[in-house]
Amino acid sequence: MQPIKIAVLGSGKGSNFRSILNAILAGQIKARPVIAVSDVPGAGMLTLAENLGVPTAVVEEMKYRTRLSEEVESGLVETLRASGAELIVLAGYMRVVKQPLLEAFPRRIINIHPSLLPAFPGLEAWRQAVEAGVETTGCTVHFVDSGIDSGEIIAQAEVPVLPGDTPETLHARIQEAEHRLYPEVIKRFAVRELL
Ligand code: GRF
């Protein structure tokens, strides 16, 4: 079986991307990162990619903050197609995905979200969990659709909320769970269980 070609799309430091790269380098996942794309020039995830010789691209969007304009997203589709990516992995990508991208890669775009969806969609889900006073939260990997964190759920991991947790301490614990869960799910795509 050929390594699955993955594209990673993110806006931030890329700790999830790093956990995926580590799993690939350790031979736990047969995958090849073919491109790393960010909407934030200079994002940490781009540096990570460059250090490992993974091609990078930046999508520049001046018009909107929460999504890409149709022209820019169509350009992104071309970039992703040219990379040969079979699976688009969103890792801290802070914009809503629109039709050009969704139509180009049906059931081939996945995201990780720091809560047990459908609870706490949207921004700072860890803060929402602390404020709601729940005892358990977690993270979810799901297919991306046109809603916000609303696509079909693929896998979840639970994380306890401990007495005295702040949004920051809880976020750190959720991220540890993310770093285990995301590689496990990508492995299921790599062995074609989910493709
Ligand atoms: C993660 O907490 C993820 O759940 C959310 O964005 C964050 C990305 O972090 N979608 P990183 O850039 O992977 O460190």
Side-chain angles (χ1 to χ4, degrees):
M1 207 179 288
Q2 289 295 315
I4 185 170
K5 294 183 200 142
I6 63 168
V8 179
L9 189 48
S11 310
K13 63 184 193 293
S15 70
N16 278 287
F17 183 27
R18 189 174 338 111
S19 71
I20 294 162
L21 290 170
N22 286 344
I24 293 170
L25 292 171
Q28 289 154 6
I29 309 175
K30 265 187 91 178
R32 186 151 73 84
V34 289
I35 194 163
V37 186
S38 184
D39 59 324
V40 178
M45 51 98 57
L46 293 173
T47 314
L48 263 179
E50 282 157 13
N51 290 343
L52 286 170
V54 176
T56 60
V58 173
V59 277
E60 302 249 21
E61 175 60 69
M62 302 302 187
K63 221 149 109 199
Y64 307 107
R65 244 168 16 94
T66 57
R67 65 181 175 96
L68 298 177
S69 54
E70 204 174 320
E71 313 87 80
V72 174
E73 200 175 85
S74 298
L76 171 60
V77 167
E78 291 318 309
T79 302
L80 293 171
R81 283 214 171 107
S83 76
E86 297 162 271
L87 179 68
I88 316 299
V89 176
L90 306 192
Y93 179 64
M94 298 305 287
R95 295 182 195 249
V96 178
V97 174
K98 307 298 286 183
Q99 281 317 320
L101 190 49
L102 291 171
E103 274 166 16
F105 295 96
R107 280 180 83 81
R108 295 287 184 277
I109 310 174
I110 59 174
N111 181 45
I112 189 153
H113 180 79
S115 75
L116 295 175
L117 290 170
F120 313 131
L123 293 177
E124 300 198 327
W126 56 88
R127 187 180 305 279
Q128 297 184 50
V130 169
E131 285 169 2
V134 294
E135 288 179 3
T136 305
T137 182
C139 52
T140 302
V141 178
H142 62 93
F143 286 107
V144 173
D145 66 9
S146 58
I148 295 182
D149 305 319
S150 57
E152 184 186 323
I153 291 170
I154 301 169
Q156 296 186 305
E158 289 190 357
V159 173
V161 183
L162 300 180
D165 256 342
T166 62
E168 291 70 31
T169 58
L170 179 59
H171 186 205
R173 194 175 309 115
I174 294 172
Q175 282 226 296
E176 286 173 21
E178 290 181 344
H179 299 160
R180 289 188 294 271
L181 186 67
Y182 223 178
E184 280 170 19
V185 171
I186 292 167
K187 186 175 183 174
R188 289 169 61 194
F189 281 93
V191 298
R192 275 52 180 186
E193 177 195 329
L194 285 169
L195 267 191

